[in-house]
Amino acid sequence: MWIVVLFDLPTDTPKARKQYQVFRSSLLEDGFSMMQYSVYVRHCASRENAEVHADRIKVSVPPDGEVRAVQFTDQQFARMEVYRGKRRVATEQEPLQLEMF
């Protein structure tokens, strides 16, 4: 399961820029990585785990911001096509799970 966060936050004042940085830092601290500007992604082990991260996002949204979170299965995410110029680029891969013996 993947959770993708898309956001549009104002940065027109010093206070708004600070709120942007705090929100962005909260995503990074929660294990998200930047996919594009204002688009962050995180792999989750299950739908329940994705909901936990979605709840964390909800409480950290700045008052003047707009944030959207979308959940995709591994199969749906793998079908994503990424283009740079005219070349096709492979998408992010699901992280390997730690195995305990």
Side-chain angles (χ1 to χ4, degrees), residues 1 4 16 23 25 27-29 32 41 50 55 61 67 69 89-90 93 97:
M1 176 69 59
V4 179
F23 179 75
S25 294
L27 289 176
L28 294 173
E29 289 171 9
F32 284 85
V41 62
D55 290 342
V61 176
V67 177
V89 178
Q93 298 298 310
Q97 297 294 321

Side-chain angles (χ1 to χ4, degrees), residues 33-80:
S33 58
M34 187 170 79
M35 180 182 249
Q36 289 183 207
Y37 294 117
S38 300
V39 179
Y40 284 69
V41 62
R42 184 185 198 291
H43 185 264
C44 300
S46 65
R47 183 176 307 275
E48 292 78 15
N49 184 246
E51 290 298 328
V52 168
H53 294 288
D55 290 342
R56 290 181 186 159
I57 293 165
K58 289 176 195 174
V59 299
S60 63
V61 176
D64 295 327
E66 182 174 323
V67 177
R68 297 169 191 250
V70 183
Q71 296 178 21
F72 296 97
T73 65
D74 293 337
Q75 289 179 340
Q76 291 168 326
F77 193 84
R79 287 195 304 260
M80 180 186 315

